[in-house]
Amino acid sequence: MSDIVLRHPKGSIVQILLYGATIVSWQAASQRDPEPRERLFVSSTAIRDGSKPVRGGIPVVFPCFGPPAHPEHSKLSQHGFARSSVWSWDNVIKDQDGRLSVTLTLEPTPAITALYTRPFHLSFVVTLGEFDLTTELHVKNTSGSTDYPPDYLEFQALFHNYILAPANEVLITPLQNNAYFDKTETTEEGKSTAKIETRAGVDVRKFTDSVYENASQNYEVTWPSGGIAIKTDNMKDVIVWNPQAEVGSKMGDMEKGGWEKFVCCEPGHVRGFEKVAPGMTWVGKQVLSVIHNARRHQN
Ligand code: TA6
């Protein structure tokens, strides 16, 4: 599959597929171990022929998270079309301290328009630093309508990060006292159970699929030998997911035992819909950075 590889002068590397604009590798050193190493999980049995989204890395979720719930999204598959469309790209920009940036773009194709008729323009900007990786999703409503009320573009968006980590030793902070919806427990009406997080550090030792609403937007995913910090902007919600063997063993593109090697910590706007007026642009951003020292606390 066509890809873009950015190589930072200090050794970090990011690989982005044009298919889905999916980041499938981010290698970075830390101040403790100077050798760049892989920071993302991609299943060794991921489908790489463009027939389905890649299982791992950082899939881009747009215009819907999960099964579609908006009338305009009714023909779309789970998590929308962005992660299974072929994006374009124009050039790579290198700034004065060696940071490298590339912009990928997606506009309505006949395949998309057959399922989704709203006008839009997406830009996905990836920036590679020595110890950090930034992704930004720019969503522009390209409608020329001057109607009132405005012809809003309504969508959800998320970065579906598969962080490479020993899943059964990971803690995610700070989520304590945050409201969340537990998708592993449903009510009689089939809705996720509403809860309040009581744990100082959230673990994924059991099958976990939790949607935290209006969270801190700054997270630490840590384990005894390291961690990744995630700072976000305009991404009010965050999902914590690990299928464990209970669900992972039934996923055709999840390698055996793969669920022990990652935690998904996914910032996004997934509860309710963002609304962008004609001609306006919404930007959601995350900065992933290597945590240089081991965990400061145990659960
Ligand atoms: O982000 C968590 C989640 O919504 C889970 O419910 C699970 O479905 C996961 O995404 C993977 O979804 P996918 O469509 O990639 O198999």
Side-chain angles (χ1 to χ4, degrees), residues 8 11-12 19 21 26 28 39 52 91 96 98 115 159 172 207 235 240 250 255 274 276 293:
H8 189 279
S12 59
Y19 175 75
W26 169 40
R39 303 295 175 168
K52 74 167 290 187
N91 60 2
Q96 69 283 358
L115 302 172
F159 299 129
I172 298 174
F207 169 35
M235 309 284 261
V240 176
K250 304 183 186 88
E255 69 183 57
E274 271 291 357
V276 174
N293 48 12

Side-chain angles (χ1 to χ4, degrees), residues 88-168:
S88 304
W89 69 292
D90 45 19
N91 60 2
V92 176
I93 298 167
K94 182 174 183 177
D95 69 16
Q96 69 283 358
D97 68 0
R99 294 174 73 78
L100 291 161
S101 187
V102 65
T103 299
L104 293 91
T105 57
L106 183 66
E107 294 185 327
T109 62
I112 291 172
T113 306
L115 302 172
Y116 177 76
T117 57
R118 300 292 313 177
F120 69 89
H121 180 281
L122 300 184
S123 295
F124 181 58
V125 186
V126 179
T127 302
L128 177 69
E130 182 179 4
F131 300 119
D132 58 81
L133 179 69
T134 300
T135 66
E136 296 173 35
L137 183 64
H138 299 237
V139 180
K140 182 172 184 178
N141 180 352
T142 53
S143 166
S145 164
T146 56
D147 292 350
Y148 188 84
D151 181 26
Y152 287 113
L153 180 66
E154 298 189 353
F155 63 91
Q156 297 167 330
L158 172 132
F159 299 129
H160 204 297
N161 305 320
Y162 285 74
I163 306 292
L164 186 66
N168 295 327

Side-chain angles (χ1 to χ4, degrees), residues 55 65 78-79 83 160 183 209 239 241 251 266:
R55 176 66 61 201
F65 172 76
Q78 162 148 297
H79 294 338
R83 64 174 183 165
H160 204 297
K183 292 169 65 177
D209 195 353
I239 285 90
W241 176 66
M251 298 170 74
E266 314 160 23

